[in-house]
Amino acid sequence: MDEVKYPVLTEKTIRLLEKNQYTFDVDQKSTKPEIKKWIEHFFHVKVKSINSHIPPQKKKRIGPIIGHLTRYKRMIITLQSGYSIPLFSNK
């Protein structure tokens, strides 16, 4: 699925893994129900809740032209207890 771009691994998202929360960057047009359905189907887990936000745009300068980097939406997905995404498992 092209809507989920990649998982986010930062210091904060690694701390969120202890609370069973996983962070993904997704397409800006994606909705919470679409992402929930896709995550549950692809990883065979139960999603408890989803929080989303759109980070502010960053400017990029190339010579005299000032442009903007691509926009994305960040989703923080909380799974029900007993479930985990194998992409992040310690085993």
Side-chain angles (χ1 to χ4, degrees):
M1 184 171 172
D2 296 330
E3 293 180 4
V4 176
K5 295 183 179 185
Y6 47 85
V8 180
L9 292 174
T10 61
E11 290 180 19
K12 182 178 180 179
T13 60
I14 291 172
R15 282 194 313 264
L16 289 176
L17 290 176
E18 296 172 0
K19 298 178 183 178
N20 211 18
Q21 295 179 332
Y22 300 86
T23 308
F24 293 93
D25 283 347
V26 299
D27 186 36
Q28 192 171 6
K29 296 176 185 174
S30 300
T31 62
K32 289 181 181 182
E34 290 174 352
I35 297 300
K36 179 180 178 180
K37 182 178 176 183
W38 187 83
I39 293 289
E40 287 180 345
H41 178 72
F42 189 76
F43 292 112
H44 305 291
V45 295
K46 295 288 182 183
V47 175
K48 183 177 180 181
S49 66
I50 296 179
N51 296 335
S52 66
H53 72 281
I54 300 173
Q57 268 188 333
K58 295 183 179 180
K59 293 182 180 177
K60 180 77 174 177
R61 182 182 193 95
I62 301 174
I65 301 169
I66 297 176
H68 296 282
L69 294 178
T70 343
R71 297 288 297 211
Y72 58 90
K73 186 185 287 188
R74 187 162 283 172
M75 297 260 183
I76 300 173
I77 299 165
T78 305
L79 300 180
Q80 292 182 1
S81 60
Y83 290 96
S84 66
I85 293 179
L87 186 67
F88 297 100
S89 71
N90 296 331
K91 296 180 182 178

